[in-house]
Amino acid sequence: MRPSILTDLSDPGFGVYVHWPFCAAKCPYCDFNSHVRHQPVDQPRFVQAFLKEMATMRRMTGSRTVTSIFMGGGTPSLMAPETVDAILNGIARHWHVPDGIEITLEANPSSVEAERFRGYRAAGVNRVSLGVQALNDRDLKFLGRLHDVADALKAIRLARDIFPRMSFDLIYARPNQTVAEWDLELKEAVSYAVDHLSLYQLTIEEGTPFYGLHKAGKLIVPDGEQSAVLYEATQEITEREGMPAYEVSNHARPGCESRHNLTYWRYGDYVGIGPGAHGRLTTGGAKIATATERKPEAWLGLVEAEGHGMIEQELLEREAQADELLLMGLRLKEGVDLARWQSLSGRDPDPDREQFLIEHGFIERLGNSRLRCTPAGMLILDAVVADLAC
């Protein structure tokens, strides 16, 4: 099945994100909102809370047509198929969900079972995203993963057999990783992939076990120069293999880009439901940033008492929206819509700053309507965004 994505860049769509916060184990590099529980999670109780929070969000958004649904985590593949089915039915009751839209569920290979996968497919999931992370057992152990390569390949085969679309993640720039090793691993990954790969550099995040090891000098990751070499090799290999980058870390066969993630990067609206979920909603002509309580049990109590777990509802001024649009849009190969940025910011890009970045090969114009980073600019994306936003 060839997925459909919006070709009208002025309409980024409306997504629904559902966060399942539980994992079987916490990976040492992970700073996501994920929690380990040693007793079974009361899934029916959480389902009722998800549905309650949906009802509150529906009152905020009004009637909307959903263009994608994404269940992330945590480890959503720890959910029973009945839980997924109830969540998707709830979304369909609150908003208009056309047939055939992209519905993604994240899964870890260690929690994959054929029966559960078939249950997700029957519930309506048509795309799965697997957290593979490495294709050798040494590095999987280093990354704290509960699966081995054999588990990963089994999960990939099952996903390819059961779901119309499949993606998986890999982490590179691992300690002592050479370009030659990554070249072989990435070529192997492309041979398994159906239509999409997410390829992330290992980053050391404060508050994680890896952060403490790195600070103590016990964990050495590639320096900036070596990381840049690995990044450039990633672009070359995936381009050659027919899965070019459409975003800094995401690669797809043409037409198979993640519809849901494009909504984020094109700065569309999306509802965030569940513990620690974020959203961006346009209501009454205003853009609101929402965030929910991160701790699962505290979120559950809030929802049961108040109908939602939101702890933040920030009205975004137009200048803040312009900054977010620039930050997200410049991640994309298609770049950012200048007219939309100008409308939000109330100004044109500083001509001297823009010219400086163009002359140094970091950005380029696509006609008069779009601005994008060059491959060199992607290597220093944060600096480019900061320079243009001033």
Coordinates of all heavy atoms in Angstrom, one line a residue, residues 86-168:
A86 N -9.6 0.0 22.1 CA -10.5 1.0 22.8 C -10.0 2.4 22.6 O -10.8 3.3 22.5 CB -10.5 0.6 24.3
I87 N -8.7 2.6 22.6 CA -8.2 3.9 22.4 C -8.5 4.4 21.0 O -9.0 5.6 20.8 CB -6.6 3.9 22.6 CG1 -6.3 3.7 24.1 CG2 -6.0 5.2 22.1 CD1 -4.8 3.5 24.4
L88 N -8.3 3.6 20.0 CA -8.6 4.0 18.6 C -10.1 4.3 18.4 O -10.5 5.2 17.7 CB -8.1 3.0 17.6 CG -6.6 2.8 17.6 CD1 -6.2 1.7 16.6 CD2 -5.9 4.1 17.2
N89 N -11.0 3.4 19.0 CA -12.4 3.7 19.0 C -12.8 5.0 19.6 O -13.7 5.7 19.1 CB -13.2 2.5 19.6 CG -13.2 1.3 18.7 OD1 -13.1 1.4 17.5 ND2 -13.3 0.1 19.3
G90 N -12.1 5.3 20.7 CA -12.4 6.6 21.4 C -12.0 7.8 20.5 O -12.7 8.8 20.5
I91 N -10.9 7.7 19.9 CA -10.5 8.8 19.0 C -11.5 9.0 17.9 O -11.9 10.1 17.5 CB -9.1 8.5 18.4 CG1 -8.0 8.6 19.5 CG2 -8.7 9.5 17.3 CD1 -6.6 8.1 19.1
A92 N -12.0 7.9 17.3 CA -13.0 7.9 16.2 C -14.3 8.5 16.7 O -15.0 9.1 15.9 CB -13.2 6.5 15.6
R93 N -14.6 8.3 18.0 CA -15.9 8.9 18.5 C -15.8 10.4 18.7 O -16.7 11.1 18.6 CB -16.2 8.3 19.9 CG -16.8 6.8 19.8 CD -17.5 6.4 21.0 NE -16.6 6.5 22.2 CZ -15.8 5.4 22.6 NH1 -15.8 4.3 21.9 NH2 -15.1 5.5 23.7
H94 N -14.6 10.9 19.0 CA -14.4 12.3 19.3 C -14.0 13.2 18.1 O -14.3 14.4 18.1 CB -13.3 12.5 20.4 CG -13.8 12.0 21.8 ND1 -13.5 10.8 22.3 CD2 -14.6 12.6 22.7 CE1 -14.1 10.7 23.5 NE2 -14.7 11.8 23.7
W95 N -13.4 12.6 17.1 CA -13.0 13.3 15.9 C -13.3 12.5 14.7 O -13.6 11.3 14.8 CB -11.5 13.7 15.9 CG -11.1 14.6 17.0 CD1 -11.2 16.0 17.1 CD2 -10.5 14.2 18.3 NE1 -10.7 16.5 18.3 CE2 -10.3 15.4 19.0 CE3 -10.1 13.0 18.8 CZ2 -9.7 15.4 20.3 CZ3 -9.5 13.0 20.1 CH2 -9.3 14.2 20.8
H96 N -13.3 13.1 13.5 CA -13.5 12.4 12.3 C -12.2 11.7 11.9 O -11.2 12.4 11.7 CB -14.0 13.4 11.2 CG -14.1 12.7 9.9 ND1 -14.9 11.5 9.7 CD2 -13.6 13.0 8.6 CE1 -14.8 11.2 8.4 NE2 -14.0 12.1 7.8
V97 N -12.2 10.4 11.8 CA -11.1 9.6 11.4 C -11.4 9.0 10.0 O -12.0 7.9 10.0 CB -10.7 8.6 12.4 CG1 -9.5 7.8 12.0 CG2 -10.4 9.3 13.8
P98 N -10.9 9.5 8.9 CA -11.1 8.9 7.6 C -10.5 7.5 7.5 O -9.5 7.2 8.2 CB -10.5 9.9 6.6 CG -10.3 11.2 7.4 CD -10.1 10.8 8.8
D99 N -11.0 6.7 6.7 CA -10.4 5.4 6.4 C -9.0 5.5 5.8 O -8.8 6.4 5.0 CB -11.3 4.6 5.4 CG -12.6 4.1 6.0 OD1 -12.7 4.1 7.3 OD2 -13.5 3.9 5.3
G100 N -8.1 4.7 6.2 CA -6.8 4.6 5.6 C -5.8 5.6 6.1 O -4.7 5.6 5.5
I101 N -6.1 6.4 7.1 CA -5.0 7.4 7.5 C -4.0 6.6 8.3 O -4.2 5.4 8.7 CB -5.6 8.4 8.5 CG1 -6.1 7.8 9.8 CG2 -6.7 9.3 7.8 CD1 -6.2 8.9 10.9
E102 N -2.8 7.2 8.4 CA -1.7 6.5 9.1 C -1.9 6.4 10.6 O -2.2 7.4 11.3 CB -0.4 7.4 8.8 CG 0.9 6.8 9.5 CD 2.0 7.8 9.3 OE1 2.6 7.8 8.2 OE2 2.3 8.6 10.2
I103 N -1.8 5.1 11.1 CA -2.0 4.9 12.5 C -0.8 4.0 12.9 O -0.6 2.9 12.5 CB -3.3 4.1 12.8 CG1 -4.5 4.9 12.3 CG2 -3.4 3.8 14.3 CD1 -5.9 4.2 12.5
T104 N 0.1 4.7 13.7 CA 1.4 4.1 14.1 C 1.4 3.6 15.5 O 0.9 4.3 16.4 CB 2.5 5.1 13.8 OG1 2.5 5.5 12.5 CG2 3.9 4.5 14.1
L105 N 2.0 2.5 15.8 CA 2.3 2.1 17.1 C 3.8 1.7 17.3 O 4.3 1.0 16.4 CB 1.4 0.8 17.5 CG 1.6 0.3 18.9 CD1 0.2 -0.1 19.5 CD2 2.5 -1.0 18.9
E106 N 4.4 2.3 18.3 CA 5.8 1.9 18.6 C 5.9 0.6 19.3 O 5.0 0.3 20.1 CB 6.5 3.0 19.5 CG 6.7 4.3 18.8 CD 7.5 5.3 19.6 OE1 7.4 5.2 20.9 OE2 8.2 6.2 19.0
A107 N 6.9 -0.2 19.0 CA 7.1 -1.5 19.6 C 8.6 -1.8 19.8 O 9.4 -1.4 19.0 CB 6.5 -2.6 18.6
N108 N 8.8 -2.5 20.9 CA 10.2 -3.0 21.1 C 10.3 -4.5 20.8 O 9.3 -5.2 21.1 CB 10.6 -2.8 22.6 CG 11.0 -1.4 22.9 OD1 11.4 -0.7 22.0 ND2 11.0 -1.1 24.2
P109 N 11.3 -4.9 20.1 CA 11.4 -6.3 19.7 C 11.2 -7.3 20.8 O 10.7 -8.4 20.6 CB 12.8 -6.4 19.1 CG 13.1 -5.0 18.6 CD 12.5 -4.1 19.6
S110 N 11.7 -6.9 22.0 CA 11.6 -7.9 23.2 C 10.1 -8.1 23.6 O 9.8 -9.1 24.2 CB 12.4 -7.3 24.4 OG 11.9 -6.0 24.7
S111 N 9.2 -7.2 23.2 CA 7.8 -7.4 23.6 C 6.9 -7.8 22.4 O 5.7 -7.7 22.5 CB 7.3 -6.1 24.2 OG 7.3 -5.0 23.3
V112 N 7.5 -8.2 21.3 CA 6.8 -8.5 20.1 C 6.3 -10.0 20.1 O 7.1 -10.9 20.4 CB 7.6 -8.3 18.9 CG1 7.0 -8.9 17.6 CG2 7.7 -6.8 18.6
E113 N 5.0 -10.1 19.9 CA 4.4 -11.5 19.7 C 3.5 -11.4 18.5 O 2.8 -10.4 18.3 CB 3.6 -11.9 21.0 CG 4.4 -12.0 22.3 CD 3.5 -12.2 23.5 OE1 2.3 -12.4 23.3 OE2 4.1 -12.2 24.6
A114 N 3.5 -12.5 17.7 CA 2.7 -12.5 16.5 C 1.3 -12.3 16.8 O 0.6 -11.5 16.1 CB 2.9 -13.8 15.8
E115 N 0.8 -12.9 17.9 CA -0.7 -12.8 18.2 C -1.0 -11.4 18.5 O -2.1 -10.8 18.1 CB -1.0 -13.8 19.3 CG -2.5 -13.8 19.7 CD -2.8 -14.8 20.8 OE1 -2.0 -15.6 21.1 OE2 -4.0 -14.7 21.2
R116 N -0.1 -10.7 19.3 CA -0.4 -9.3 19.7 C -0.3 -8.4 18.5 O -1.2 -7.5 18.3 CB 0.6 -8.9 20.8 CG 0.2 -7.6 21.4 CD 1.2 -7.2 22.5 NE 1.2 -8.1 23.6 CZ 2.1 -8.2 24.5 NH1 3.2 -7.5 24.5 NH2 2.0 -9.1 25.6
F117 N 0.6 -8.6 17.6 CA 0.7 -7.8 16.4 C -0.5 -8.0 15.6 O -1.0 -7.0 15.0 CB 2.0 -8.3 15.6 CG 3.2 -7.4 15.8 CD1 3.3 -6.6 16.9 CD2 4.2 -7.4 14.8 CE1 4.4 -5.8 17.1 CE2 5.3 -6.6 15.0 CZ 5.4 -5.8 16.1
R118 N -1.0 -9.2 15.4 CA -2.3 -9.4 14.6 C -3.4 -8.7 15.3 O -4.3 -8.2 14.6 CB -2.5 -10.9 14.4 CG -1.5 -11.5 13.5 CD -1.9 -12.9 13.1 NE -0.9 -13.5 12.2 CZ 0.1 -14.3 12.7 NH1 0.2 -14.6 13.9 NH2 1.0 -14.8 11.8
G119 N -3.4 -8.7 16.6 CA -4.5 -7.9 17.4 C -4.4 -6.4 17.1 O -5.5 -5.8 17.0
Y120 N -3.2 -5.9 17.1 CA -3.1 -4.4 16.8 C -3.6 -4.1 15.4 O -4.2 -3.1 15.1 CB -1.6 -4.0 16.9 CG -1.0 -4.2 18.3 CD1 0.4 -4.4 18.4 CD2 -1.7 -4.1 19.4 CE1 1.0 -4.5 19.6 CE2 -1.2 -4.2 20.7 CZ 0.2 -4.5 20.8 OH 0.8 -4.6 22.0
R121 N -3.2 -5.0 14.4 CA -3.6 -4.8 13.1 C -5.2 -4.9 12.9 O -5.8 -4.0 12.3 CB -3.0 -5.9 12.1 CG -3.3 -5.7 10.7 CD -2.6 -4.5 10.1 NE -3.1 -4.2 8.7 CZ -4.0 -3.2 8.4 NH1 -4.5 -2.5 9.4 NH2 -4.3 -3.0 7.2
A122 N -5.8 -5.8 13.7 CA -7.2 -5.9 13.6 C -7.9 -4.7 14.3 O -9.0 -4.2 13.9 CB -7.7 -7.1 14.4
A123 N -7.2 -4.0 15.2 CA -7.7 -2.8 15.9 C -7.6 -1.6 14.9 O -8.3 -0.6 15.2 CB -6.9 -2.6 17.1
G124 N -6.8 -1.7 13.9 CA -6.7 -0.6 13.0 C -5.3 0.0 12.8 O -5.1 0.9 11.9
V125 N -4.3 -0.5 13.5 CA -2.9 0.0 13.4 C -2.4 -0.5 12.0 O -2.6 -1.7 11.6 CB -2.0 -0.6 14.5 CG1 -0.5 -0.3 14.2 CG2 -2.4 -0.1 15.8
N126 N -1.9 0.4 11.2 CA -1.4 0.1 9.9 C 0.1 0.4 9.7 O 0.6 0.2 8.6 CB -2.2 0.7 8.8 CG -2.3 2.2 8.9 OD1 -1.5 2.9 9.5 ND2 -3.4 2.8 8.3
R127 N 0.7 0.9 10.7 CA 2.2 1.2 10.6 C 2.8 0.9 12.0 O 2.3 1.3 13.0 CB 2.4 2.6 10.2 CG 3.8 3.0 10.1 CD 3.9 4.5 9.6 NE 5.3 4.9 9.4 CZ 6.1 5.5 10.3 NH1 5.6 5.7 11.5 NH2 7.3 5.8 10.0
V128 N 3.9 0.2 12.0 CA 4.6 -0.1 13.3 C 6.0 0.5 13.2 O 6.6 0.5 12.1 CB 4.6 -1.6 13.6 CG1 5.5 -2.4 12.7 CG2 5.0 -1.8 15.0
S129 N 6.5 1.0 14.3 CA 7.8 1.6 14.4 C 8.6 0.8 15.5 O 8.2 0.9 16.7 CB 7.7 3.1 14.8 OG 9.0 3.6 14.9
L130 N 9.6 0.1 15.1 CA 10.3 -0.8 16.0 C 11.6 -0.1 16.5 O 12.4 0.5 15.8 CB 10.8 -2.1 15.2 CG 9.6 -3.0 14.7 CD1 10.2 -4.0 13.8 CD2 8.9 -3.6 15.9
G131 N 11.8 -0.2 17.8 CA 13.0 0.3 18.5 C 14.1 -0.7 18.4 O 14.5 -1.3 19.5
V132 N 14.7 -0.9 17.3 CA 15.8 -1.9 17.1 C 17.1 -1.4 17.7 O 17.7 -2.1 18.5 CB 16.0 -2.3 15.6 CG1 17.2 -3.2 15.4 CG2 14.7 -3.0 15.1
Q133 N 17.5 -0.2 17.3 CA 18.7 0.5 17.9 C 20.1 0.1 17.5 O 21.0 0.9 17.4 CB 18.6 0.6 19.4 CG 17.2 1.0 20.0 CD 16.6 2.3 19.4 OE1 17.1 2.8 18.4 NE2 15.5 2.7 20.0
A134 N 20.3 -1.2 17.3 CA 21.6 -1.7 16.8 C 21.4 -3.1 16.2 O 20.4 -3.8 16.5 CB 22.6 -1.8 17.9
L135 N 22.3 -3.5 15.3 CA 22.2 -4.8 14.6 C 23.4 -5.6 15.0 O 23.9 -6.5 14.2 CB 22.1 -4.6 13.1 CG 20.7 -4.1 12.6 CD1 20.7 -3.8 11.1 CD2 19.6 -5.1 13.0
N136 N 24.0 -5.4 16.2 CA 24.9 -6.4 16.7 C 24.7 -6.5 18.2 O 24.3 -5.5 18.9 CB 26.4 -6.0 16.4 CG 26.8 -4.7 17.2 OD1 27.1 -4.8 18.4 ND2 26.9 -3.6 16.4
D137 N 24.9 -7.7 18.8 CA 24.5 -8.0 20.1 C 25.4 -7.2 21.1 O 24.9 -6.8 22.2 CB 24.6 -9.5 20.4 CG 23.5 -10.3 19.7 OD1 22.5 -9.6 19.5 OD2 23.7 -11.5 19.5
R138 N 26.7 -6.9 20.8 CA 27.5 -6.2 21.7 C 26.9 -4.8 22.0 O 26.8 -4.4 23.2 CB 28.9 -6.1 21.1 CG 29.9 -5.2 21.9 CD 31.1 -4.8 21.0 NE 30.6 -3.8 20.0 CZ 31.2 -3.5 18.9 NH1 32.4 -4.1 18.6 NH2 30.7 -2.6 18.1
D139 N 26.5 -4.1 21.0 CA 26.0 -2.8 21.2 C 24.6 -2.8 21.8 O 24.2 -1.8 22.5 CB 26.1 -2.0 19.9 CG 27.5 -1.5 19.6 OD1 28.4 -1.7 20.4 OD2 27.8 -1.1 18.4
L140 N 23.8 -3.8 21.4 CA 22.5 -3.9 22.1 C 22.7 -4.0 23.6 O 21.9 -3.4 24.4 CB 21.7 -5.0 21.5 CG 21.2 -4.8 20.1 CD1 20.6 -6.1 19.5 CD2 20.1 -3.7 20.1
K141 N 23.6 -4.8 24.0 CA 23.9 -5.0 25.5 C 24.3 -3.7 26.1 O 23.9 -3.3 27.1 CB 24.9 -6.1 25.7 CG 25.1 -6.4 27.1 CD 26.1 -7.6 27.3 CE 26.3 -7.9 28.8 NZ 27.3 -9.0 29.0
F142 N 25.3 -3.0 25.4 CA 25.7 -1.7 25.8 C 24.6 -0.7 26.0 O 24.5 0.1 26.9 CB 26.8 -1.1 24.9 CG 27.0 0.3 24.9 CD1 27.7 0.9 26.0 CD2 26.5 1.2 24.0 CE1 27.9 2.3 26.1 CE2 26.7 2.6 24.0 CZ 27.4 3.1 25.1
L143 N 23.6 -0.7 25.0 CA 22.5 0.2 25.1 C 21.4 -0.2 26.0 O 20.4 0.5 26.2 CB 21.9 0.4 23.7 CG 22.8 1.1 22.6 CD1 22.2 0.9 21.2 CD2 23.0 2.6 22.9
G144 N 21.6 -1.3 26.7 CA 20.7 -1.7 27.7 C 19.4 -2.3 27.2 O 18.4 -2.4 27.9
R145 N 19.4 -2.8 25.9 CA 18.2 -3.3 25.3 C 18.0 -4.7 25.8 O 18.9 -5.5 26.1 CB 18.4 -3.3 23.8 CG 18.7 -1.9 23.2 CD 17.6 -0.9 23.5 NE 16.5 -1.1 22.7 CZ 15.3 -0.5 22.9 NH1 15.1 0.3 23.9 NH2 14.3 -0.7 22.1
L146 N 16.7 -5.1 25.9 CA 16.3 -6.4 26.3 C 16.3 -7.5 25.2 O 16.1 -8.6 25.5 CB 14.9 -6.4 27.0 CG 14.8 -5.5 28.3 CD1 13.4 -5.5 28.8 CD2 15.8 -5.9 29.3
H147 N 16.4 -7.0 24.0 CA 16.4 -8.0 22.9 C 17.8 -8.2 22.3 O 18.7 -7.4 22.6 CB 15.5 -7.5 21.8 CG 15.9 -6.2 21.1 ND1 15.6 -5.0 21.7 CD2 16.7 -5.9 20.0 CE1 16.1 -4.0 20.9 NE2 16.8 -4.6 19.9
D148 N 18.0 -9.2 21.5 CA 19.2 -9.4 20.8 C 18.9 -9.3 19.3 O 17.7 -9.0 18.9 CB 19.9 -10.8 21.1 CG 19.0 -12.0 20.9 OD1 18.0 -11.9 20.1 OD2 19.2 -13.1 21.4
V149 N 19.9 -9.5 18.4 CA 19.7 -9.3 17.0 C 18.6 -10.3 16.5 O 17.8 -10.0 15.6 CB 21.0 -9.5 16.2 CG1 20.8 -9.5 14.7 CG2 21.9 -8.3 16.6
A150 N 18.7 -11.6 17.0 CA 17.7 -12.6 16.5 C 16.3 -12.1 16.8 O 15.4 -12.2 16.0 CB 18.0 -13.9 17.2
D151 N 16.1 -11.5 18.0 CA 14.7 -11.0 18.4 C 14.3 -9.8 17.4 O 13.2 -9.7 17.0 CB 14.7 -10.4 19.8 CG 14.9 -11.5 20.9 OD1 14.4 -12.6 20.6 OD2 15.4 -11.2 21.9
A152 N 15.3 -9.0 17.1 CA 15.1 -7.8 16.2 C 14.6 -8.3 14.9 O 13.7 -7.8 14.3 CB 16.3 -6.9 16.2
L153 N 15.4 -9.3 14.3 CA 15.0 -9.7 13.0 C 13.7 -10.4 12.9 O 12.9 -10.3 12.0 CB 16.1 -10.6 12.4 CG 17.5 -10.0 12.3 CD1 18.5 -11.0 11.7 CD2 17.4 -8.7 11.4
K154 N 13.4 -11.2 14.0 CA 12.1 -11.8 14.1 C 11.0 -10.7 14.1 O 9.9 -10.9 13.4 CB 12.0 -12.7 15.4 CG 10.6 -13.3 15.6 CD 10.6 -14.0 16.9 CE 9.1 -14.5 17.2 NZ 9.1 -15.1 18.6
A155 N 11.2 -9.7 14.9 CA 10.2 -8.6 14.9 C 10.0 -7.9 13.6 O 8.9 -7.6 13.2 CB 10.6 -7.6 16.0
I156 N 11.1 -7.7 12.9 CA 11.1 -7.0 11.6 C 10.3 -7.9 10.6 O 9.4 -7.4 9.8 CB 12.5 -6.8 11.1 CG1 13.1 -5.6 11.9 CG2 12.5 -6.4 9.6 CD1 14.6 -5.5 11.6
R157 N 10.6 -9.2 10.6 CA 9.9 -10.1 9.7 C 8.4 -10.1 10.0 O 7.5 -10.1 9.1 CB 10.4 -11.5 9.8 CG 11.8 -11.7 9.1 CD 12.2 -13.2 9.0 NE 12.4 -13.8 10.3 CZ 13.6 -13.8 10.9 NH1 14.6 -13.3 10.3 NH2 13.7 -14.4 12.1
L158 N 8.0 -10.2 11.3 CA 6.6 -10.2 11.6 C 5.9 -8.9 11.2 O 4.8 -8.9 10.7 CB 6.4 -10.3 13.1 CG 6.5 -11.7 13.7 CD1 6.5 -11.7 15.2 CD2 5.3 -12.6 13.2
A159 N 6.6 -7.8 11.4 CA 6.0 -6.5 11.1 C 5.8 -6.4 9.6 O 4.8 -5.9 9.1 CB 6.9 -5.3 11.6
R160 N 6.8 -6.8 8.8 CA 6.7 -6.8 7.3 C 5.5 -7.7 6.9 O 4.8 -7.3 5.9 CB 8.0 -7.3 6.7 CG 9.1 -6.3 6.9 CD 10.4 -6.8 6.3 NE 10.4 -7.0 4.9 CZ 11.4 -7.1 4.1 NH1 12.6 -7.1 4.7 NH2 11.3 -7.2 2.8
D161 N 5.3 -8.8 7.6 CA 4.2 -9.7 7.2 C 2.8 -9.2 7.5 O 1.8 -9.4 6.8 CB 4.4 -11.1 7.8 CG 5.5 -11.9 7.2 OD1 6.0 -11.5 6.1 OD2 6.0 -12.8 7.9
I162 N 2.7 -8.5 8.6 CA 1.4 -8.1 9.2 C 0.9 -6.7 8.9 O -0.3 -6.5 8.7 CB 1.4 -8.4 10.7 CG1 1.6 -9.9 11.0 CG2 0.2 -7.9 11.4 CD1 1.9 -10.2 12.5
F163 N 1.9 -5.8 8.8 CA 1.5 -4.4 8.7 C 1.8 -3.8 7.3 O 2.8 -4.2 6.7 CB 2.2 -3.5 9.7 CG 1.8 -3.8 11.1 CD1 2.6 -4.7 11.9 CD2 0.6 -3.4 11.7 CE1 2.3 -5.0 13.2 CE2 0.3 -3.7 13.0 CZ 1.1 -4.5 13.7
P164 N 1.0 -3.0 6.7 CA 1.3 -2.4 5.4 C 2.5 -1.6 5.4 O 3.2 -1.5 4.4 CB 0.0 -1.5 5.1 CG -1.1 -2.1 5.9 CD -0.4 -2.6 7.2
R165 N 2.8 -0.9 6.6 CA 4.0 -0.1 6.6 C 4.8 -0.4 7.9 O 4.3 -0.8 8.9 CB 3.6 1.4 6.6 CG 2.9 1.8 5.4 CD 2.6 3.3 5.4 NE 3.8 4.1 5.5 CZ 3.8 5.4 5.9 NH1 2.7 6.0 6.2 NH2 5.0 6.0 5.9
M166 N 6.1 -0.2 7.8 CA 7.0 -0.5 8.9 C 8.2 0.4 8.9 O 8.8 0.7 7.8 CB 7.4 -2.0 8.9 CG 8.2 -2.5 10.1 SD 10.0 -2.3 9.9 CE 10.3 -3.6 8.6
S167 N 8.6 0.8 10.1 CA 9.9 1.6 10.2 C 10.6 1.0 11.4 O 10.1 0.3 12.3 CB 9.6 3.1 10.5 OG 10.8 3.8 10.7
F168 N 12.0 1.2 11.4 CA 12.7 0.9 12.7 C 13.8 1.9 12.9 O 14.2 2.6 12.0 CB 13.2 -0.5 12.7 CG 14.2 -1.0 11.7 CD1 15.5 -0.8 11.9 CD2 13.7 -1.6 10.6 CE1 16.4 -1.2 11.0 CE2 14.7 -2.1 9.7 CZ 16.0 -1.9 9.9

